[in-house]
Amino acid sequence: MKSTLVFLVFFTVQLTFANDMVWSKTGHRTTGEVAQAHLSRRAKRAIFKLLDGQDLAKVSTFGDDIKSDKNFKKYSPWHYVNFPSDKKYTEVAPSEHGDIVVGIQKCIAVLKDKKSSREDKVFYLKFLVHLMGDLHQPLHVGHAEDKGGNDIQLQWFKKGTNLHRVWDSNMIDQYGMSYTELASSLPKLNKKQKEYIQSGSLYDWVEESQDLANKVYASVKIGDNLSYRYSYVWWGTVESQLQKGGLRLAKVLNSIF
Ligand code: ADE
Ligand code: ZN
Ligand code: ZN
């Protein structure tokens, strides 16, 4: 009995910390679900084969799932990029450890290469689904000095949190919808609106997240206790980011397959 209790406490603590710094599973799955619905027939078939029938929502959390495995440590810097708010990504020397842009480009290159092994294609496809989600969490295009908002301490309904976590998970979790509910309740867009969102390059999308991150940084003061009002102001942006991530992921996949 006692050992069960010790285990439970340990497990809960582990879970609490494991939740740190990741665009919530619900967020990633929503983006996967949106992308799945916008795949071409060809891409859908090729992806179905590579993923043995799993859909994009299912594999969207893979990038975070492997974080606990030391063998995959070198991929940790792929989840984000930090650079000064008055510079563009292309104006700053890239990190030698890689970043989210380098990561996405590598995934695309492996998937396009006819010589890639099936095993590599599966790995980089799952990672790509994940990284396109992360790219649309604005604070994954953040500032190095505060680790993308992780060092900006705040309260969420009187409980300790930080700005990064508010955007990764607090707002999404508090909204209380499953990923399928969220995906199907996103604004209905027409063909033109979708094409507009899908236009542009990876660098344009990075810049867009950076612009948004600058607004997000300006939306709080250290120690603020955020609650309903913050979600009221920003929820539409969260939804829009989840939707953009999905539409752009579909565009990238349709052009690969
Ligand atoms: N660690 C350091 N910077 C980060 C960022 N922008 N996003 C997530 N994790 C980080
Ligand atoms: Zn995060
Ligand atoms: Zn991630």
Side-chain angles (χ1 to χ4, degrees):
M1 178 65 198
K2 196 166 164 211
S3 65
T4 313
L5 196 68
V6 169
F7 172 78
L8 271 180
V9 169
F10 180 73
F11 190 65
T12 310
V13 169
Q14 287 281 306
L15 270 185
T16 308
F17 286 104
N19 261 334
D20 232 22
M21 302 211 308
V22 294
W23 198 211
S24 77
K25 283 185 193 284
T26 306
H28 278 292
R29 288 173 181 150
T30 304
T31 289
E33 183 86 349
V34 171
Q36 186 76 37
H38 291 86
L39 292 176
S40 64
R41 258 168 194 274
R42 238 183 116 84
K44 202 180 287 181
R45 202 172 316 124
I47 290 166
F48 185 91
K49 273 193 189 163
L50 276 175
L51 299 180
D52 290 327
Q54 297 175 97
D55 65 11
L56 298 179
K58 175 78 193 279
V59 303
S60 66
T61 57
F62 172 76
D64 287 330
D65 298 338
I66 61 171
K67 274 183 173 167
S68 56
D69 187 333
K70 282 198 203 76
N71 295 317
F72 297 115
K73 202 170 160 50
K74 67 171 173 173
Y75 298 108
S76 303
W78 278 17
H79 294 257
Y80 58 89
V81 61
N82 292 318
F83 57 99
S85 54
D86 60 346
K87 290 269 193 316
K88 292 191 174 186
Y89 175 81
T90 46
E91 292 170 347
V92 179
S95 158
E96 55 176 314
H97 304 294
D99 59 43
I100 194 165
V101 177
V102 171
I104 289 173
Q105 286 169 336
K106 169 76 179 177
C107 292
I108 294 172
V110 171
L111 289 167
K112 278 188 170 165
D113 186 348
K114 289 198 179 67
K115 295 195 291 295
S116 299
S117 67
R118 177 186 156 83
E119 192 187 355
D120 276 352
K121 281 190 179 176
V122 172
F123 178 88
Y124 288 98
L125 171 58
K126 291 183 192 170
F127 223 136
L128 178 61
V129 177
H130 180 83
L131 295 179
M132 285 298 292
D134 275 349
L135 181 65
H136 289 80
Q137 201 288 47
L139 293 167
H140 279 235
V141 182
H143 303 161
E145 61 270 24
D146 54 52
K147 301 194 187 71
N150 276 297
D151 290 344
I152 299 177
Q153 300 302 324
L154 298 167
Q155 289 192 310
W156 180 254
F157 290 89
K158 302 264 175 76
K159 285 218 177 89
T161 188
N162 62 63
L163 182 59
H164 191 97
R165 200 189 301 170
V166 166
W167 278 80
D168 261 357
S169 53
N170 291 146
M171 276 194 284
I172 294 177
D173 292 346
Q174 202 253 341
Y175 198 67
M177 273 195 182
S178 68
Y179 77 87
T180 49
E181 289 169 334
L182 246 178
S184 61
S185 72
L186 290 171
K188 301 285 174 271
L189 303 177
N190 62 34
K191 195 157 175 271
K192 256 211 152 104
Q193 291 169 313
K194 288 179 186 178
E195 281 169 2
Y196 180 70
I197 287 171
Q198 289 175 321
S199 67
S201 67
L202 179 55
Y203 296 119
D204 294 326
W205 303 338
V206 170
E207 223 175 282
E208 188 191 83
S209 277
Q210 181 192 26
D211 289 344
L212 188 48
N214 290 338
K215 293 187 186 127
V216 169
Y217 275 116
S219 70
V220 294
K221 292 188 307 303
I222 290 171
D224 276 354
N225 173 34
L226 310 181
S227 63
Y228 297 110
R229 177 76 199 165
Y230 195 79
S231 282
Y232 178 72
V233 172
W234 289 104
W235 181 252
T237 306
V238 174
E239 282 192 336
S240 167
Q241 290 305 104
L242 296 171
Q243 190 169 38
K244 283 179 175 179
L247 290 170
R248 290 169 180 170
L249 171 59
K251 185 208 176 176
V252 170
L253 293 172
N254 290 340
S255 75
I256 293 173
F257 294 105

